[in-house]
Every structure is written in structure tokens, then in C-alpha cells.
Amino acid sequence: MARPRVRLVVTADDFGYCPRRDEGIVEAFLAGTVTSVSLLVNGAAAQSAAELARRHSIPTGLHANLSEGRPVGPARHGASTLLSPEGFFLGKMGFREAVAAGGVALPQVREELEAQLNCFQELLGRAPTHVDGHQHVHVLPGVCQVFAEALQAYGVRFTRLPLERGVGGCAWLEAPARAFAFTVEASGRAWTDAFVGMSTCGRHMSAHRVSGALARALEDIPAGHALTAELMAHPGYPSVPPAGGCGEGPDAFSCSWERLHELRVLTAPTLRARLAQEGVQLCALDDLDYKKPGEGVPCEATLEPFLEPSPS
């Protein structure tokens, strides 16, 4: 029997952020659409989320966090370039700016990432299926090298290359993502052929838009290649303050009605039916064929479609 045209991993990020978000993520997994989750080990509900993952045999990776809340590593005991004077991570933009200015000590990044990997293993009793970055911190210059080395040391095979073809407004990601791709490929790590999720985030998610984003993302992939893709999602029941977050309470993103909208799209039969009609097979990362460096689609060929200028 011929392989499906596309094998799609649907990853729900922010697992462990709060019980309400986690409840929705588990519903989407049990509905058969979400096939993988990324756990925030510094999330307020990390412990209960890990228990849910074990109970339902949910394929779980690490959502490495260097931008929101409190650290789990040595930084929590003293001054660190990763933290504000109040002891919290610097925030999405604050961390990017600090990295760009050379104000982040990479050995401290390594300490925190290793602490989060160790914490994950303590919570789940095993290594993560994958490691990606909360707010895409893992592709930032310098930080990406630390990630590649840590993934290799901990035997993590898969990561995420967060570039979606045809999506404007993400120019900051292009050069770092190219450097990240070459770095992790050289270390023997892998990612899916295509990534979608920027254009389908929140209120923009629908079966039609997911289908269109996949079609756009997979254009120009070399013929004869077994195509793989990842859909990033952020479903769940919205957080209700003060419960949730990573040490500072839940943010506006997690409290938004858009989390519920994503949950409804992912649990309704329409999306699964459309994907099946189009020859898309839902799967987990562990179901994908693992390719060593140099096998399958070459790195430059894979990246080329994604790094073309986005239409205005």
C-alpha cells in the first residue's frame, strides 16, 4: 500500500501552563487530532500535566522556556543574565534583545536548558520525544548552538524549524532559523519537512486554513520524498487568573478566547475529515522515519522554499 502523501504531527504547545489549558489539550488528543504535546516544566501545572501524559500515553516533548516566568536551574538561586532583578525571565522581546546585544551568558543558557531536560526526565521518567522552544527561543543566535549540543547529549532526535512559507512579519526568524537548521543537522537532529501554525494561530484556525497552509508549505519539496509536516497549535480552555502561568500568573495569550476557538476546531470532525480526504495521515514524531544527516531532503533544498521573500 502506497504511503500517504503527507504525514502530519499536530503539536499542542504550553502543556503544563494551567489545568484548564491542559484539560483542553487532553480532549484534543483523545479526539485524535493532537498527536503530540510540548511540556513547560516551569509551568504551574507541570506535575499534573505529566501525570495526564502518562495516564493517556501522550507523546510528550519539552517546550524549553527561557522567556517566561521563573527558571528551574541554578539561576533561581542568584543573579543571572537570563533574569530581571525580580527573578523572572526577561520576556519574549526582552530575551531576544538581550541575546542580540550580547547580554546573555550562553553557559547560563546551557545550565537552564539542562536543568529543564533533567526536570522533564524526573516528571515523565524518560527523555522527551522532541525539544522545541517557547516563543521560538531555540533558534536565536548562540542559543541555537547550545540547544543543538544539549539535544545531542540527551539523545533527543527531533526539534522544530519554525518557518512557515508565505507568512510575512517573521523576518526576525529567517536568518536565525537558517543557522539553527545547519547547526542541528550537523549534530544529527531532525525536523519535519514543513512547519505550519503561524497563519493558523488563534482566531485564524479553521479546517480550510490548515489545509491551505499545508498545501503552500509543501510546494517544491522534491518529488519522491516521503513528506512530513508539523502543525503548531495552542488549544485549551482559557486560563482564569490567578491560576496558571510559569510563576507570574497567566498571560493574555493564555486567557484569550482564541485558545477555546483552536480547541473547537481541533476536536470537531471537520478538520480530521478534510485531512483524510487530502491524503494526510496524522501521526506522532516517533512514528516518522528518522533520517541521519545527508539522508532525505538536503538541508538547503528543504530551507529554500521557506526563505524566499514572503508576499506582502
PDB file of all heavy atoms in Angstrom, residues 176-212:
ATOM      1  N   PRO A 176      18.202  33.448  11.818  1.00  0.00           N
ATOM      2  CA  PRO A 176      18.460  32.516  12.915  1.00  0.00           C
ATOM      3  C   PRO A 176      18.016  31.091  12.603  1.00  0.00           C
ATOM      4  O   PRO A 176      18.692  30.131  12.972  1.00  0.00           O
ATOM      5  CB  PRO A 176      17.639  33.103  14.073  1.00  0.00           C
ATOM      6  CG  PRO A 176      17.519  34.540  13.767  1.00  0.00           C
ATOM      7  CD  PRO A 176      17.420  34.625  12.271  1.00  0.00           C
ATOM      8  N   ALA A 177      16.878  30.950  11.899  1.00  0.00           N
ATOM      9  CA  ALA A 177      16.394  29.609  11.593  1.00  0.00           C
ATOM     10  C   ALA A 177      17.325  28.891  10.627  1.00  0.00           C
ATOM     11  O   ALA A 177      17.543  27.676  10.746  1.00  0.00           O
ATOM     12  CB  ALA A 177      14.984  29.678  11.006  1.00  0.00           C
ATOM     13  N   ARG A 178      17.880  29.620   9.671  1.00  0.00           N
ATOM     14  CA  ARG A 178      18.841  29.004   8.753  1.00  0.00           C
ATOM     15  C   ARG A 178      20.058  28.501   9.532  1.00  0.00           C
ATOM     16  O   ARG A 178      20.514  27.361   9.348  1.00  0.00           O
ATOM     17  CB  ARG A 178      19.278  30.007   7.679  1.00  0.00           C
ATOM     18  CG  ARG A 178      20.279  29.412   6.682  1.00  0.00           C
ATOM     19  CD  ARG A 178      20.793  30.482   5.730  1.00  0.00           C
ATOM     20  NE  ARG A 178      19.789  30.882   4.771  1.00  0.00           N
ATOM     21  CZ  ARG A 178      19.575  30.252   3.612  1.00  0.00           C
ATOM     22  NH1 ARG A 178      20.259  29.155   3.319  1.00  0.00           N
ATOM     23  NH2 ARG A 178      18.669  30.685   2.781  1.00  0.00           N
ATOM     24  N   ALA A 179      20.592  29.341  10.418  1.00  0.00           N
ATOM     25  CA  ALA A 179      21.752  28.935  11.214  1.00  0.00           C
ATOM     26  C   ALA A 179      21.408  27.754  12.111  1.00  0.00           C
ATOM     27  O   ALA A 179      22.189  26.807  12.252  1.00  0.00           O
ATOM     28  CB  ALA A 179      22.243  30.115  12.050  1.00  0.00           C
ATOM     29  N   PHE A 180      20.212  27.791  12.699  1.00  0.00           N
ATOM     30  CA  PHE A 180      19.776  26.701  13.567  1.00  0.00           C
ATOM     31  C   PHE A 180      19.677  25.398  12.793  1.00  0.00           C
ATOM     32  O   PHE A 180      20.124  24.339  13.259  1.00  0.00           O
ATOM     33  CB  PHE A 180      18.420  27.056  14.192  1.00  0.00           C
ATOM     34  CG  PHE A 180      17.797  25.950  14.985  1.00  0.00           C
ATOM     35  CD1 PHE A 180      18.343  25.543  16.194  1.00  0.00           C
ATOM     36  CD2 PHE A 180      16.644  25.315  14.545  1.00  0.00           C
ATOM     37  CE1 PHE A 180      17.762  24.517  16.946  1.00  0.00           C
ATOM     38  CE2 PHE A 180      16.060  24.296  15.281  1.00  0.00           C
ATOM     39  CZ  PHE A 180      16.626  23.904  16.479  1.00  0.00           C
ATOM     40  N   ALA A 181      19.113  25.476  11.568  1.00  0.00           N
ATOM     41  CA  ALA A 181      18.936  24.272  10.768  1.00  0.00           C
ATOM     42  C   ALA A 181      20.267  23.597  10.470  1.00  0.00           C
ATOM     43  O   ALA A 181      20.414  22.377  10.621  1.00  0.00           O
ATOM     44  CB  ALA A 181      18.216  24.621   9.465  1.00  0.00           C
ATOM     45  N   PHE A 182      21.250  24.366  10.050  1.00  0.00           N
ATOM     46  CA  PHE A 182      22.547  23.783   9.747  1.00  0.00           C
ATOM     47  C   PHE A 182      23.217  23.250  11.012  1.00  0.00           C
ATOM     48  O   PHE A 182      23.900  22.231  10.989  1.00  0.00           O
ATOM     49  CB  PHE A 182      23.436  24.805   9.045  1.00  0.00           C
ATOM     50  CG  PHE A 182      23.115  24.959   7.589  1.00  0.00           C
ATOM     51  CD1 PHE A 182      22.320  26.008   7.149  1.00  0.00           C
ATOM     52  CD2 PHE A 182      23.578  24.048   6.655  1.00  0.00           C
ATOM     53  CE1 PHE A 182      22.001  26.151   5.807  1.00  0.00           C
ATOM     54  CE2 PHE A 182      23.263  24.183   5.303  1.00  0.00           C
ATOM     55  CZ  PHE A 182      22.479  25.230   4.873  1.00  0.00           C
ATOM     56  N   THR A 183      23.023  23.946  12.121  1.00  0.00           N
ATOM     57  CA  THR A 183      23.644  23.510  13.381  1.00  0.00           C
ATOM     58  C   THR A 183      23.071  22.179  13.846  1.00  0.00           C
ATOM     59  O   THR A 183      23.816  21.254  14.193  1.00  0.00           O
ATOM     60  CB  THR A 183      23.433  24.572  14.477  1.00  0.00           C
ATOM     61  OG1 THR A 183      24.014  25.802  14.060  1.00  0.00           O
ATOM     62  CG2 THR A 183      24.082  24.138  15.784  1.00  0.00           C
ATOM     63  N   VAL A 184      21.741  22.057  13.862  1.00  0.00           N
ATOM     64  CA  VAL A 184      21.148  20.826  14.372  1.00  0.00           C
ATOM     65  C   VAL A 184      21.310  19.677  13.390  1.00  0.00           C
ATOM     66  O   VAL A 184      21.442  18.517  13.803  1.00  0.00           O
ATOM     67  CB  VAL A 184      19.659  21.016  14.753  1.00  0.00           C
ATOM     68  CG1 VAL A 184      19.523  21.994  15.891  1.00  0.00           C
ATOM     69  CG2 VAL A 184      18.817  21.422  13.569  1.00  0.00           C
ATOM     70  N   GLU A 185      21.322  19.964  12.091  1.00  0.00           N
ATOM     71  CA  GLU A 185      21.545  18.882  11.134  1.00  0.00           C
ATOM     72  C   GLU A 185      22.945  18.312  11.300  1.00  0.00           C
ATOM     73  O   GLU A 185      23.145  17.097  11.260  1.00  0.00           O
ATOM     74  CB  GLU A 185      21.341  19.359   9.698  1.00  0.00           C
ATOM     75  CG  GLU A 185      21.427  18.187   8.714  1.00  0.00           C
ATOM     76  CD  GLU A 185      21.299  18.615   7.267  1.00  0.00           C
ATOM     77  OE1 GLU A 185      22.057  19.492   6.844  1.00  0.00           O
ATOM     78  OE2 GLU A 185      20.450  18.038   6.569  1.00  0.00           O
ATOM     79  N   ALA A 186      23.919  19.186  11.528  1.00  0.00           N
ATOM     80  CA  ALA A 186      25.289  18.724  11.714  1.00  0.00           C
ATOM     81  C   ALA A 186      25.422  17.842  12.949  1.00  0.00           C
ATOM     82  O   ALA A 186      26.283  16.962  13.008  1.00  0.00           O
ATOM     83  CB  ALA A 186      26.233  19.918  11.823  1.00  0.00           C
ATOM     84  N   SER A 187      24.553  18.063  13.937  1.00  0.00           N
ATOM     85  CA  SER A 187      24.618  17.270  15.171  1.00  0.00           C
ATOM     86  C   SER A 187      23.750  16.017  15.092  1.00  0.00           C
ATOM     87  O   SER A 187      23.658  15.265  16.058  1.00  0.00           O
ATOM     88  CB  SER A 187      24.174  18.123  16.375  1.00  0.00           C
ATOM     89  OG  SER A 187      22.783  18.378  16.328  1.00  0.00           O
ATOM     90  N   GLY A 188      23.099  15.806  13.935  1.00  0.00           N
ATOM     91  CA  GLY A 188      22.309  14.597  13.756  1.00  0.00           C
ATOM     92  C   GLY A 188      20.869  14.699  14.186  1.00  0.00           C
ATOM     93  O   GLY A 188      20.176  13.694  14.275  1.00  0.00           O
ATOM     94  N   ARG A 189      20.375  15.906  14.469  1.00  0.00           N
ATOM     95  CA  ARG A 189      18.968  16.072  14.857  1.00  0.00           C
ATOM     96  C   ARG A 189      18.122  16.228  13.595  1.00  0.00           C
ATOM     97  O   ARG A 189      18.626  16.419  12.501  1.00  0.00           O
ATOM     98  CB  ARG A 189      18.780  17.287  15.749  1.00  0.00           C
ATOM     99  CG  ARG A 189      19.656  17.352  17.002  1.00  0.00           C
ATOM    100  CD  ARG A 189      19.658  16.094  17.831  1.00  0.00           C
ATOM    101  NE  ARG A 189      20.813  15.252  17.516  1.00  0.00           N
ATOM    102  CZ  ARG A 189      20.982  14.009  17.924  1.00  0.00           C
ATOM    103  NH1 ARG A 189      20.049  13.434  18.644  1.00  0.00           N
ATOM    104  NH2 ARG A 189      22.062  13.330  17.611  1.00  0.00           N
ATOM    105  N   ALA A 190      16.806  16.156  13.733  1.00  0.00           N
ATOM    106  CA  ALA A 190      15.914  16.222  12.585  1.00  0.00           C
ATOM    107  C   ALA A 190      14.697  17.069  12.896  1.00  0.00           C
ATOM    108  O   ALA A 190      14.383  17.335  14.059  1.00  0.00           O
ATOM    109  CB  ALA A 190      15.478  14.812  12.193  1.00  0.00           C
ATOM    110  N   TRP A 191      13.997  17.478  11.841  1.00  0.00           N
ATOM    111  CA  TRP A 191      12.739  18.208  11.961  1.00  0.00           C
ATOM    112  C   TRP A 191      11.875  17.811  10.776  1.00  0.00           C
ATOM    113  O   TRP A 191      12.350  17.149   9.840  1.00  0.00           O
ATOM    114  CB  TRP A 191      12.979  19.727  11.974  1.00  0.00           C
ATOM    115  CG  TRP A 191      13.680  20.241  10.747  1.00  0.00           C
ATOM    116  CD1 TRP A 191      13.109  20.659   9.577  1.00  0.00           C
ATOM    117  CD2 TRP A 191      15.096  20.363  10.553  1.00  0.00           C
ATOM    118  NE1 TRP A 191      14.074  21.043   8.683  1.00  0.00           N
ATOM    119  CE2 TRP A 191      15.306  20.878   9.247  1.00  0.00           C
ATOM    120  CE3 TRP A 191      16.202  20.092  11.363  1.00  0.00           C
ATOM    121  CZ2 TRP A 191      16.576  21.114   8.734  1.00  0.00           C
ATOM    122  CZ3 TRP A 191      17.468  20.338  10.841  1.00  0.00           C
ATOM    123  CH2 TRP A 191      17.656  20.845   9.544  1.00  0.00           C
ATOM    124  N   THR A 192      10.610  18.174  10.798  1.00  0.00           N
ATOM    125  CA  THR A 192       9.726  17.820   9.694  1.00  0.00           C
ATOM    126  C   THR A 192      10.065  18.656   8.458  1.00  0.00           C
ATOM    127  O   THR A 192      10.663  19.724   8.554  1.00  0.00           O
ATOM    128  CB  THR A 192       8.254  18.041  10.069  1.00  0.00           C
ATOM    129  OG1 THR A 192       8.078  19.394  10.507  1.00  0.00           O
ATOM    130  CG2 THR A 192       7.824  17.086  11.173  1.00  0.00           C
ATOM    131  N   ASP A 193       9.658  18.144   7.278  1.00  0.00           N
ATOM    132  CA  ASP A 193       9.929  18.854   6.034  1.00  0.00           C
ATOM    133  C   ASP A 193       9.286  20.238   6.018  1.00  0.00           C
ATOM    134  O   ASP A 193       9.812  21.167   5.413  1.00  0.00           O
ATOM    135  CB  ASP A 193       9.382  18.061   4.838  1.00  0.00           C
ATOM    136  CG  ASP A 193      10.072  16.725   4.665  1.00  0.00           C
ATOM    137  OD1 ASP A 193      11.303  16.662   4.839  1.00  0.00           O
ATOM    138  OD2 ASP A 193       9.378  15.730   4.361  1.00  0.00           O
ATOM    139  N   ALA A 194       8.142  20.351   6.654  1.00  0.00           N
ATOM    140  CA  ALA A 194       7.408  21.617   6.639  1.00  0.00           C
ATOM    141  C   ALA A 194       6.818  21.897   8.007  1.00  0.00           C
ATOM    142  O   ALA A 194       6.586  20.995   8.806  1.00  0.00           O
ATOM    143  CB  ALA A 194       6.296  21.576   5.592  1.00  0.00           C
ATOM    144  N   PHE A 195       6.595  23.180   8.246  1.00  0.00           N
ATOM    145  CA  PHE A 195       6.016  23.649   9.504  1.00  0.00           C
ATOM    146  C   PHE A 195       4.904  24.620   9.184  1.00  0.00           C
ATOM    147  O   PHE A 195       5.046  25.497   8.312  1.00  0.00           O
ATOM    148  CB  PHE A 195       7.089  24.339  10.346  1.00  0.00           C
ATOM    149  CG  PHE A 195       6.543  25.151  11.501  1.00  0.00           C
ATOM    150  CD1 PHE A 195       6.239  24.542  12.705  1.00  0.00           C
ATOM    151  CD2 PHE A 195       6.342  26.524  11.384  1.00  0.00           C
ATOM    152  CE1 PHE A 195       5.731  25.281  13.777  1.00  0.00           C
ATOM    153  CE2 PHE A 195       5.842  27.263  12.435  1.00  0.00           C
ATOM    154  CZ  PHE A 195       5.539  26.646  13.632  1.00  0.00           C
ATOM    155  N   VAL A 196       3.765  24.487   9.871  1.00  0.00           N
ATOM    156  CA  VAL A 196       2.684  25.467   9.774  1.00  0.00           C
ATOM    157  C   VAL A 196       2.167  25.744  11.181  1.00  0.00           C
ATOM    158  O   VAL A 196       2.372  24.954  12.097  1.00  0.00           O
ATOM    159  CB  VAL A 196       1.534  24.993   8.855  1.00  0.00           C
ATOM    160  CG1 VAL A 196       2.003  24.830   7.431  1.00  0.00           C
ATOM    161  CG2 VAL A 196       0.926  23.703   9.363  1.00  0.00           C
ATOM    162  N   GLY A 197       1.516  26.870  11.320  1.00  0.00           N
ATOM    163  CA  GLY A 197       0.976  27.216  12.625  1.00  0.00           C
ATOM    164  C   GLY A 197       0.928  28.705  12.885  1.00  0.00           C
ATOM    165  O   GLY A 197       0.163  29.171  13.724  1.00  0.00           O
ATOM    166  N   MET A 198       1.772  29.465  12.172  1.00  0.00           N
ATOM    167  CA  MET A 198       1.728  30.920  12.325  1.00  0.00           C
ATOM    168  C   MET A 198       0.438  31.474  11.717  1.00  0.00           C
ATOM    169  O   MET A 198      -0.264  32.274  12.336  1.00  0.00           O
ATOM    170  CB  MET A 198       2.933  31.569  11.632  1.00  0.00           C
ATOM    171  CG  MET A 198       4.279  31.056  12.104  1.00  0.00           C
ATOM    172  SD  MET A 198       4.668  31.594  13.767  1.00  0.00           S
ATOM    173  CE  MET A 198       6.443  31.301  13.752  1.00  0.00           C
ATOM    174  N   SER A 199       0.122  31.030  10.493  1.00  0.00           N
ATOM    175  CA  SER A 199      -1.047  31.571   9.787  1.00  0.00           C
ATOM    176  C   SER A 199      -2.357  30.987  10.290  1.00  0.00           C
ATOM    177  O   SER A 199      -3.435  31.467   9.916  1.00  0.00           O
ATOM    178  CB  SER A 199      -0.915  31.292   8.282  1.00  0.00           C
ATOM    179  OG  SER A 199      -0.986  29.898   8.020  1.00  0.00           O
ATOM    180  N   THR A 200      -2.279  29.953  11.123  1.00  0.00           N
ATOM    181  CA  THR A 200      -3.500  29.298  11.619  1.00  0.00           C
ATOM    182  C   THR A 200      -3.668  29.472  13.124  1.00  0.00           C
ATOM    183  O   THR A 200      -4.464  28.772  13.749  1.00  0.00           O
ATOM    184  CB  THR A 200      -3.461  27.796  11.290  1.00  0.00           C
ATOM    185  OG1 THR A 200      -2.304  27.210  11.905  1.00  0.00           O
ATOM    186  CG2 THR A 200      -3.400  27.566   9.796  1.00  0.00           C
ATOM    187  N   CYS A 201      -2.927  30.399  13.710  1.00  0.00           N
ATOM    188  CA  CYS A 201      -2.957  30.574  15.158  1.00  0.00           C
ATOM    189  C   CYS A 201      -4.236  31.286  15.620  1.00  0.00           C
ATOM    190  O   CYS A 201      -4.698  32.241  14.980  1.00  0.00           O
ATOM    191  CB  CYS A 201      -1.742  31.378  15.619  1.00  0.00           C
ATOM    192  SG  CYS A 201      -1.572  31.513  17.417  1.00  0.00           S
ATOM    193  N   GLY A 202      -4.795  30.811  16.708  1.00  0.00           N
ATOM    194  CA  GLY A 202      -5.917  31.515  17.326  1.00  0.00           C
ATOM    195  C   GLY A 202      -7.136  31.601  16.447  1.00  0.00           C
ATOM    196  O   GLY A 202      -7.596  30.609  15.877  1.00  0.00           O
ATOM    197  N   ARG A 203      -7.669  32.796  16.301  1.00  0.00           N
ATOM    198  CA  ARG A 203      -8.909  33.019  15.552  1.00  0.00           C
ATOM    199  C   ARG A 203      -8.783  32.626  14.086  1.00  0.00           C
ATOM    200  O   ARG A 203      -9.795  32.448  13.391  1.00  0.00           O
ATOM    201  CB  ARG A 203      -9.306  34.490  15.660  1.00  0.00           C
ATOM    202  CG  ARG A 203      -8.416  35.444  14.864  1.00  0.00           C
ATOM    203  CD  ARG A 203      -8.712  36.892  15.168  1.00  0.00           C
ATOM    204  NE  ARG A 203      -8.293  37.244  16.513  1.00  0.00           N
ATOM    205  CZ  ARG A 203      -8.594  38.402  17.089  1.00  0.00           C
ATOM    206  NH1 ARG A 203      -9.323  39.308  16.442  1.00  0.00           N
ATOM    207  NH2 ARG A 203      -8.163  38.661  18.313  1.00  0.00           N
ATOM    208  N   HIS A 204      -7.560  32.503  13.596  1.00  0.00           N
ATOM    209  CA  HIS A 204      -7.338  32.186  12.190  1.00  0.00           C
ATOM    210  C   HIS A 204      -7.389  30.696  11.897  1.00  0.00           C
ATOM    211  O   HIS A 204      -7.289  30.289  10.740  1.00  0.00           O
ATOM    212  CB  HIS A 204      -5.987  32.746  11.738  1.00  0.00           C
ATOM    213  CG  HIS A 204      -5.838  34.210  11.938  1.00  0.00           C
ATOM    214  ND1 HIS A 204      -6.601  35.132  11.244  1.00  0.00           N
ATOM    215  CD2 HIS A 204      -5.048  34.928  12.779  1.00  0.00           C
ATOM    216  CE1 HIS A 204      -6.275  36.355  11.631  1.00  0.00           C
ATOM    217  NE2 HIS A 204      -5.346  36.266  12.565  1.00  0.00           N
ATOM    218  N   MET A 205      -7.531  29.869  12.926  1.00  0.00           N
ATOM    219  CA  MET A 205      -7.554  28.426  12.681  1.00  0.00           C
ATOM    220  C   MET A 205      -8.904  27.977  12.151  1.00  0.00           C
ATOM    221  O   MET A 205      -9.954  28.314  12.690  1.00  0.00           O
ATOM    222  CB  MET A 205      -7.205  27.645  13.950  1.00  0.00           C
ATOM    223  CG  MET A 205      -7.190  26.130  13.733  1.00  0.00           C
ATOM    224  SD  MET A 205      -6.620  25.167  15.158  1.00  0.00           S
ATOM    225  CE  MET A 205      -4.844  25.419  15.025  1.00  0.00           C
ATOM    226  N   SER A 206      -8.873  27.203  11.079  1.00  0.00           N
ATOM    227  CA  SER A 206     -10.042  26.541  10.520  1.00  0.00           C
ATOM    228  C   SER A 206      -9.538  25.382   9.686  1.00  0.00           C
ATOM    229  O   SER A 206      -8.358  25.330   9.317  1.00  0.00           O
ATOM    230  CB  SER A 206     -10.868  27.497   9.642  1.00  0.00           C
ATOM    231  OG  SER A 206     -10.140  27.840   8.471  1.00  0.00           O
ATOM    232  N   ALA A 207     -10.422  24.465   9.354  1.00  0.00           N
ATOM    233  CA  ALA A 207     -10.017  23.341   8.502  1.00  0.00           C
ATOM    234  C   ALA A 207      -9.509  23.847   7.162  1.00  0.00           C
ATOM    235  O   ALA A 207      -8.510  23.350   6.625  1.00  0.00           O
ATOM    236  CB  ALA A 207     -11.199  22.389   8.311  1.00  0.00           C
ATOM    237  N   HIS A 208     -10.175  24.846   6.606  1.00  0.00           N
ATOM    238  CA  HIS A 208      -9.782  25.402   5.317  1.00  0.00           C
ATOM    239  C   HIS A 208      -8.390  26.028   5.377  1.00  0.00           C
ATOM    240  O   HIS A 208      -7.551  25.810   4.488  1.00  0.00           O
ATOM    241  CB  HIS A 208     -10.813  26.438   4.876  1.00  0.00           C
ATOM    242  CG  HIS A 208     -10.451  27.145   3.602  1.00  0.00           C
ATOM    243  ND1 HIS A 208     -10.547  26.545   2.363  1.00  0.00           N
ATOM    244  CD2 HIS A 208      -9.972  28.414   3.387  1.00  0.00           C
ATOM    245  CE1 HIS A 208     -10.150  27.411   1.430  1.00  0.00           C
ATOM    246  NE2 HIS A 208      -9.807  28.540   2.024  1.00  0.00           N
ATOM    247  N   ARG A 209      -8.121  26.798   6.426  1.00  0.00           N
ATOM    248  CA  ARG A 209      -6.833  27.477   6.524  1.00  0.00           C
ATOM    249  C   ARG A 209      -5.695  26.489   6.806  1.00  0.00           C
ATOM    250  O   ARG A 209      -4.583  26.653   6.298  1.00  0.00           O
ATOM    251  CB  ARG A 209      -6.871  28.564   7.594  1.00  0.00           C
ATOM    252  CG  ARG A 209      -7.710  29.774   7.199  1.00  0.00           C
ATOM    253  CD  ARG A 209      -7.573  30.868   8.245  1.00  0.00           C
ATOM    254  NE  ARG A 209      -6.260  31.496   8.171  1.00  0.00           N
ATOM    255  CZ  ARG A 209      -6.028  32.709   7.668  1.00  0.00           C
ATOM    256  NH1 ARG A 209      -7.021  33.407   7.168  1.00  0.00           N
ATOM    257  NH2 ARG A 209      -4.811  33.206   7.664  1.00  0.00           N
ATOM    258  N   VAL A 210      -5.947  25.471   7.614  1.00  0.00           N
ATOM    259  CA  VAL A 210      -4.915  24.466   7.852  1.00  0.00           C
ATOM    260  C   VAL A 210      -4.574  23.747   6.554  1.00  0.00           C
ATOM    261  O   VAL A 210      -3.405  23.537   6.221  1.00  0.00           O
ATOM    262  CB  VAL A 210      -5.372  23.463   8.926  1.00  0.00           C
ATOM    263  CG1 VAL A 210      -4.422  22.267   8.989  1.00  0.00           C
ATOM    264  CG2 VAL A 210      -5.445  24.146  10.291  1.00  0.00           C
ATOM    265  N   SER A 211      -5.601  23.376   5.797  1.00  0.00           N
ATOM    266  CA  SER A 211      -5.394  22.715   4.517  1.00  0.00           C
ATOM    267  C   SER A 211      -4.584  23.588   3.564  1.00  0.00           C
ATOM    268  O   SER A 211      -3.639  23.129   2.915  1.00  0.00           O
ATOM    269  CB  SER A 211      -6.743  22.362   3.888  1.00  0.00           C
ATOM    270  OG  SER A 211      -6.577  21.856   2.583  1.00  0.00           O
ATOM    271  N   GLY A 212      -4.948  24.873   3.477  1.00  0.00           N
ATOM    272  CA  GLY A 212      -4.236  25.787   2.593  1.00  0.00           C
ATOM    273  C   GLY A 212      -2.802  26.018   3.015  1.00  0.00           C
ATOM    274  O   GLY A 212      -1.895  26.085   2.176  1.00  0.00           O
TER     275      GLY A 212
END
